[in-house]
Amino acid sequence: MNILTIPFRNIRRKPAKTLLLLLVFTLGVVSIVSLVSFSRVARHSLEQKLWAFGPNILVFPKIEQIRLSYGGMNAGNVTTDVRFLDERAVLAGIDAIPNRGNVRAVSPKLVTVAAMTVPGKASASGADSNVGVVGVLWDREKLIKNYWMPQGRYPETEEELLAGHAVAARLGLKPGDRVGLFGREMLVSGVLEPTGSDDDGVVFGNLALVQENAGRRGKLNFLEVAAICAGCPIGDIVDQMRAAVPDAEITAMMNVVEQRMYSLDFVSNLILAVSLIILFIACAMVGLSMMSQVNDRKREIGLLRSMGFSKGRVFQIVCFEGFLLGVAAGGIGYTIGFVASEKILGALRMLEDASLTFEPAHLAIACGVFGLVSTASSLLPAWKASRIEPSEALVSI
Amino acid sequence: MIEAFGIGKTFRSNGSEIHALRDVSLSVRDGEFVSIAGRSGSGKTTLLNVLSTLMRPDSGTIRYDGRDAASMDARELDALRKNEIAMVFQFHYLLPYLTAIENVALPFMDSMIPVSRDRTDHAMRCLSRVGLKGKEHRLPGQLSGGEQQRVAIARALVTSAKILFADEPTGSLDKGTGREIMELIRGFTDDGLSVVMVTHDREYASVADRVVSMEDGRIVV
């Protein structure tokens, strides 16, 4: 027996009323837990889908250009020094940045031009056609260009190529054709559907093969990076990459990134707003119920005051009742909310890309947080209870 | 010892004034049993409430063993109520969700520190003394009116207070039970407890060492 015996027993006095209040508060907690779970899964799922739109950071070697103009005649820019990046160094540099966890894929490339021989399709200038050839690492390229839809299949060996839609149309290439490139016969394993990008006009091949034949072994002149940073600006990632790869020119496609971040933030903010409204309503219910209880228990409070219970003790008793209610609602609500989220998200097939795990620590945090929130809702009723004088509660003239 | 001098108390309601107490002076010695008798509206309950610190007087002074109640701050007043004053009301005012023993031990339950074994045993003895041995774990709703009032008396006794204020303690009981309660209260004065009891029943009032009659807010005898 101690001061806590009073609130413990009191909340059991009117079980129906207590259960009703607990139910209302628990429903609030269930809603919040479900919404937060939904938000987490939806955010993860959205992130997954957003990656499908390709890279958002481009990496080039630093180049020097001279602007040629004379007598008002503009002859454009001329690159005076063609440079390349070291493949091993640049990949190691990007791997070492603090926000590496936010970099989903890095696709190194060597872009060059080579003569392609297409049997039976001689060009006007001769048997060979110059084409842009991009050497890629296929596992990385497929990760970053997961929106590609090739006719045929992706290359599996060094001797296989993937042709862009426009170049394939120009040269009459189709999956299964054999062409001459780098002095050897190669198989066109697939042709890309139109992408509306530069990918349509080039041929993709094995990076090591392209490097070897371009005389640039271990060198790169272009990298595409897919990065997203929910908790920090994309500028931080770019700055870290610039520091890690000082020879490179690194450009963020800010509008793309910002649009993605906006989508994620919008979902999160919407969930937060709805959660806050639900929490506010639940708190108002608890506060009103506690106020009603204080009015009902004036005589009891007056009795305690007549026995020497201080105003602070009376305040504690009411607050502790609110705390008990919040802890119970937090515990029950978190458990029900978790199970409900799992079932609903499962039914909506939203758990294919993400998973929900029951965390005892989260349960404890929910109990603590909602206990405190409920206590805060009880502050005004508790203050009112502490102001009750025994004379007004017990005395009749 | 409690001493009251020149106590005045006026209630104002709807523009009119009711002079509940007019220049009342009264002293109660240690171990003395004083009954305050009078008709309804004579001011006897108001006097009891003022003497027991539940109500502040508009004028006059009250001294508890020489200490002026008017100069006490909230903490001192709480301590006075907790350690020196006990109260029994016409209606028992037991907490319905606590058992008999918990109601008796209620004055000790004012902190996070659990009530000690000694204090629990003391509460048990108080319950036994009012004849409720074996009913310690019953809720008030499981006890008769007389038993509930006995629990309230045991609760008043448990703190070893110096003075007991009783406001019509037999008012809601039948005659036989009322007499038993009066005998109980009378017995406590033998232990040195002072008692100030308000009653409109002359028979019960006569049990006291001294009977004070009130009329129109004044002590007349």
Side-chain angles (χ1 to χ4, degrees):
Chain A
M1 290 185 285
N2 64 6
I3 194 169
L4 302 184
T5 305
I6 300 168
F8 262 120
R9 293 295 179 80
N10 182 56
I11 60 173
R12 286 162 46 187
R13 173 165 54 159
K14 292 178 179 171
K17 196 173 179 180
T18 303
L19 279 176
L20 187 66
L21 187 59
L22 188 63
L23 181 70
V24 171
F25 202 61
T26 300
L27 278 176
V29 178
V30 168
S31 307
I32 291 167
V33 170
S34 302
L35 282 172
V36 170
S37 300
F38 176 81
S39 167
R40 278 175 52 205
V41 170
R43 191 181 177 90
H44 186 81
S45 179
L46 195 58
E47 281 179 359
Q48 295 289 325
K49 287 179 173 62
L50 286 173
W51 300 128
F53 297 111
N56 47 40
I57 297 175
L58 307 179
V59 182
F60 306 92
K62 280 185 175 164
I63 54 173
E64 287 182 14
Q65 290 184 326
I66 296 173
R67 182 183 170 85
L68 286 182
S69 91
Y70 185 76
M73 185 88 163
N74 188 0
N77 296 335
V78 173
T79 301
T80 59
D81 183 18
V82 177
R83 295 181 187 176
F84 292 88
L85 297 168
D86 183 75
E87 182 184 355
R88 193 174 297 175
V90 74
L91 292 180
I94 293 172
D95 272 345
I97 66 168
N99 278 100
R100 177 65 181 90
N102 299 106
V103 175
R104 179 168 164 84
V106 179
S107 180
K109 295 177 173 68
L110 180 70
V111 183
T112 188
V113 176
M116 178 179 279
T117 307
V118 183
K121 306 255 177 175
S123 69
S125 57
D128 296 344
S129 297
N130 282 337
V131 293
V133 182
V134 182
V136 298
L137 296 175
W138 283 110
D139 53 341
R140 290 173 181 245
E141 190 65 11
K142 283 193 279 188
L143 199 60
I144 215 163
K145 301 280 177 66
N146 50 9
Y147 55 88
W148 273 0
M149 294 174 65
Q151 292 174 9
R153 59 174 173 77
Y154 282 105
E156 290 169 357
T157 67
E158 212 176 49
E159 275 76 32
E160 293 180 346
L161 300 169
L162 182 70
H165 183 79
V167 76
R170 180 163 61 86
L171 299 176
L173 300 176
K174 58 183 184 304
D177 283 353
R178 295 198 170 269
V179 297
L181 187 70
F182 302 135
R184 61 169 79 185
E185 188 183 78
M186 301 188 77
L187 173 72
V188 179
S189 68
V191 174
L192 287 175
E193 291 287 338
T195 63
S197 70
D198 291 342
D199 296 344
D200 291 345
V202 294
V203 172
F204 296 89
N206 179 276
L207 177 63
L209 182 77
V210 175
Q211 286 172 329
E212 179 73 30
N213 286 281
R216 303 289 179 187
R217 186 178 290 179
K219 298 294 179 186
L220 306 171
N221 56 9
F222 184 41
L223 287 95
E224 288 180 306
V225 179
I228 199 159
C229 188
C232 66
I234 196 77
D236 287 358
I237 297 176
V238 171
D239 288 344
Q240 291 165 13
M241 286 171 62
R242 280 179 182 147
V245 194
D247 296 340
E249 189 73 50
I250 299 171
T251 311
M253 297 159 73
M254 294 302 286
N255 56 339
V256 175
V257 175
E258 281 168 5
Q259 183 61 39
R260 293 177 193 183
M261 299 302 288
Y262 175 79
S263 303
L264 293 176
D265 290 344
F266 178 77
V267 172
S268 297
N269 290 339
L270 186 68
I271 298 287
L272 180 68
V274 173
S275 299
L276 285 176
I277 290 168
I278 292 170
L279 193 62
F280 177 77
I281 293 169
C283 287
M285 292 289 293
V286 170
L288 287 173
S289 174
M290 296 300 281
M291 191 66 91
S292 155
Q293 276 207 40
V294 166
N295 289 331
D296 290 347
R297 294 165 65 192
K298 263 189 176 175
R299 194 156 280 173
E300 180 185 314
I301 292 165
L303 177 79
L304 295 176
R305 295 280 289 121
S306 77
M307 290 192 306
F309 277 62
S310 66
K311 290 179 177 179
R313 295 298 187 209
V314 171
F315 188 87
Q316 280 177 8
I317 289 170
V318 178
C319 281
F320 191 72
E321 282 185 25
F323 180 74
L324 282 180
L325 196 71
V327 168
I332 298 168
Y334 179 82
T335 308
I336 294 174
F338 178 82
V339 173
S341 303
E342 203 171 36
K343 298 284 181 201
I344 293 168
L345 291 170
L348 294 173
R349 297 176 181 276
M350 289 181 72
L351 289 178
E352 289 166 355
D353 296 330
S355 63
L356 280 176
T357 46
F358 190 88
E359 299 279 356
H362 290 175
L363 175 66
I365 289 169
C367 290
V369 167
F370 290 107
L372 289 177
V373 166
S374 181
T375 304
S377 309
S378 308
L379 288 179
L380 185 62
W383 178 80
K384 194 182 172 196
S386 72
R387 307 294 294 177
I388 292 174
E389 288 296 331
S391 55
E392 66 180 276
L394 301 172
V395 167
S396 55
I397 302 167
Chain B
M1 182 176 184
I2 181 167
E3 297 164 293
F5 303 101
I7 302 296
K9 182 73 183 175
T10 302
F11 295 105
R12 290 167 184 83
S13 174
N14 297 328
S16 62
E17 291 187 341
I18 301 165
H19 298 285
L21 295 176
R22 302 166 192 254
D23 194 27
V24 173
S25 296
L26 178 72
S27 62
V28 181
R29 295 186 309 274
D30 291 343
E32 187 182 18
F33 189 165
V34 176
S35 279
I36 303 173
R39 288 182 192 163
S40 218
S42 61
K44 55 187 188 299
T45 294
T46 303
L47 178 59
L48 188 89
N49 291 330
V50 168
L51 292 175
S52 63
T53 75
L54 292 189
M55 195 178 275
R56 285 193 183 270
D58 295 333
S59 59
T61 57
I62 304 167
R63 292 202 176 93
Y64 298 88
D65 290 333
R67 290 163 295 156
D68 186 0
S71 64
M72 291 182 186
D73 61 20
R75 186 174 291 183
E76 289 171 320
L77 212 54
D78 287 338
L80 181 74
R81 287 172 184 159
K82 182 180 176 183
N83 301 319
E84 299 183 36
I85 293 174
M87 300 205 65
V88 175
F89 302 92
Q90 178 177 354
F91 303 101
H92 49 78
Y93 294 151
L94 300 179
L95 301 197
Y97 47 86
L98 297 183
T99 62
I101 186 65
E102 286 167 342
N103 265 292
V104 173
L106 189 59
F108 299 137
M109 290 159 57
D110 67 338
S111 76
M112 300 290 278
I113 302 165
V115 178
S116 67
R117 186 63 184 263
D118 284 351
R119 285 184 156 180
T120 307
D121 290 344
H122 178 55
M124 286 283 195
R125 284 194 296 275
C126 290
L127 262 184
S128 295
R129 190 168 175 191
V130 297
L132 290 177
K133 191 173 184 180
K135 296 184 177 178
E136 297 89 350
H137 301 293
R138 292 194 186 179
L139 292 169
Q142 297 167 319
L143 299 170
S144 68
E147 288 173 329
Q148 289 175 1
Q149 194 62 298
R150 285 165 188 265
V151 174
I153 291 170
R155 180 179 65 195
L157 292 174
V158 80
T159 57
S160 308
K162 293 179 181 173
I163 185 162
L164 171 68
F165 293 98
D167 185 9
E168 303 272 13
T170 57
S172 60
L173 304 175
D174 61 65
K175 208 71 180 173
T177 310
R179 283 197 192 101
E180 289 173 16
I181 296 293
M182 287 311 302
E183 282 168 20
L184 262 176
I185 293 174
R186 173 78 257 186
F188 298 144
T189 57
D190 298 339
D191 302 335
L193 181 74
S194 303
V195 177
V196 179
M197 181 182 76
V198 162
T199 182
H200 63 272
D201 190 308
R202 289 280 165 190
E203 181 191 336
Y204 295 149
S206 64
V207 175
D209 299 322
R210 181 158 57 107
V211 179
V212 173
S213 291
M214 289 195 71
E215 200 175 293
D216 199 21
R218 290 189 175 88
I219 291 178
V220 290
V221 180

